[in-house]
Amino acid sequence: YVQWFQHAVKLILKNLPEDGRAIFMQTDVKVSQDNRHGRHAGGGSYWAWLDKAHLAVVAASEVPGARLLWHKIICSGLGSNGGGRSGLSASYTHYLCFTTSTIPEALDGCSLPDVMRKGLSTWKSGSGAQSVELACAYLKARGCTQVIDPFCGEGAVLAIANVLGIASLGVEITKKRAKMANSLDGKLLLDADRAERQRDDSTAACTTTSNCRPAAKL
C-alpha cells in the first residue's frame, strides 16, 4: 500500500499544471504486521501507525519543483460528527496542498482554519461538505477552473465544486458509488451541512449563555 500510495502522489504532482494545486485528504490508519491497513487489519491488535501526511510529503520531495503550501487538520470530532470511522483509523484527517508553481504563495493566501470541522458526508469515509467547500473556495480564488478527483467516491468534491462554479471530473472504480456521484446534488448537501452547523452553534451557545435557559413553567 505504501508504495502504491506514494507512486500515486508522484504521478499526480508530476502531471500538475504549472498554476495548479494538488490537495490530498488523508486519514491515518493502524496497520498489522503483514502491512494490512485500516478495516483489513483486524485481529484486535495492530503493529504500527501509518502517518499518511508523512508518506505524501516524502513522495513529494522526490518530484522536482514540488512543495507543500499548507497542512491543515479536518476533525471529525467537531460539531455533531464525533469520533473516527473505526478503532483502526484516526478521528482526524490531514489536508495537504502541494504545487509545482514557480510563483510564491501570498502569506494571507489560504483562509482555511488550521483545524476545521469535517461537515456532513454521504458515507462514513466520504469527504465532508464544509472542508470541501473551503478547499474549493481556495482553489477558485487561485484561478483554478477545473477540479479532478481521481478517487471521487460518491462525488462530494465534484458536486460542491460545481456549486461554486468550478468544472469537475471524477474517477471511481466502484460502479455503485460512481452512479451516486453522477446524481449527487451539491447544493442540497451544502444546505444540509449549513443547517447542521447552525444547530451546532446554537447548542454551543446554550451551554455558555444563561439566556438559553428554558422559561419557567407557571
Side-chain angles (χ1 to χ4, degrees):
Y1 172 81
V2 170
Q3 288 74 22
W4 172 86
F5 174 76
Q6 293 189 309
H7 179 63
V9 171
K10 293 175 190 177
L11 281 177
I12 291 170
L13 295 179
K14 287 177 180 177
N15 290 280
L16 196 63
E18 167 63 25
D19 57 348
R21 302 287 189 274
I23 297 179
F24 295 88
M25 187 185 299
Q26 295 295 324
T27 302
D28 292 347
V29 293
K30 300 169 185 175
V31 295
S32 62
Q33 194 167 3
D34 58 359
N35 284 325
R36 287 183 296 170
H37 73 286
R39 64 182 180 277
H40 303 296
S45 63
Y46 73 100
W47 184 252
W49 183 275
L50 192 64
D51 185 340
K52 293 188 182 180
H54 171 71
L55 296 180
V57 170
V58 169
S61 70
E62 299 178 13
V63 178
R67 68 185 194 277
L68 180 68
L69 288 180
W70 45 261
H71 181 181
K72 310 293 184 177
I73 295 296
I74 301 170
C75 185
S76 300
L78 295 178
S80 61
N81 290 341
R85 298 197 303 260
S86 71
L88 294 169
S89 64
S91 61
Y92 60 85
T93 297
H94 298 283
Y95 223 4
L96 304 107
C97 179
F98 295 91
T99 189
T100 54
S101 171
T102 57
I103 301 174
E105 183 85 347
L107 285 175
D108 59 352
C110 182
S111 59
L112 279 71
D114 289 336
V115 179
M116 69 189 78
R117 171 181 171 271
K118 175 181 177 179
L120 290 179
S121 58
T122 58
W123 59 307
K124 64 180 180 180
S125 299
S127 303
Q130 185 176 9
S131 53
V132 170
E133 182 182 15
L134 290 170
C136 286
Y138 164 81
L139 293 174
K140 186 173 182 178
R142 294 293 160 286
C144 294
T145 57
Q146 184 177 48
V147 167
I148 299 176
D149 188 347
F151 307 99
C152 71
E154 296 182 358
V157 172
L158 311 179
I160 291 173
N162 290 164
V163 174
L164 272 64
I166 306 173
S168 63
L169 175 66
V171 178
E172 174 56 44
I173 194 172
T174 306
K175 291 182 179 180
K176 179 181 177 181
R177 290 187 181 132
K179 184 176 180 180
M180 296 178 72
N182 276 324
S183 60
L184 182 61
D185 189 320
K187 185 178 184 305
L188 287 179
L189 178 59
L190 284 175
D191 287 346
D193 182 66
R194 289 164 182 161
E196 181 183 85
R197 218 180 309 166
Q198 290 178 346
R199 289 193 298 271
D200 288 343
D201 290 344
S202 297
T203 301
C206 285
T207 63
T208 57
T209 306
S210 59
N211 293 338
C212 292
R213 294 173 184 165
K217 295 182 179 179
L218 300 178

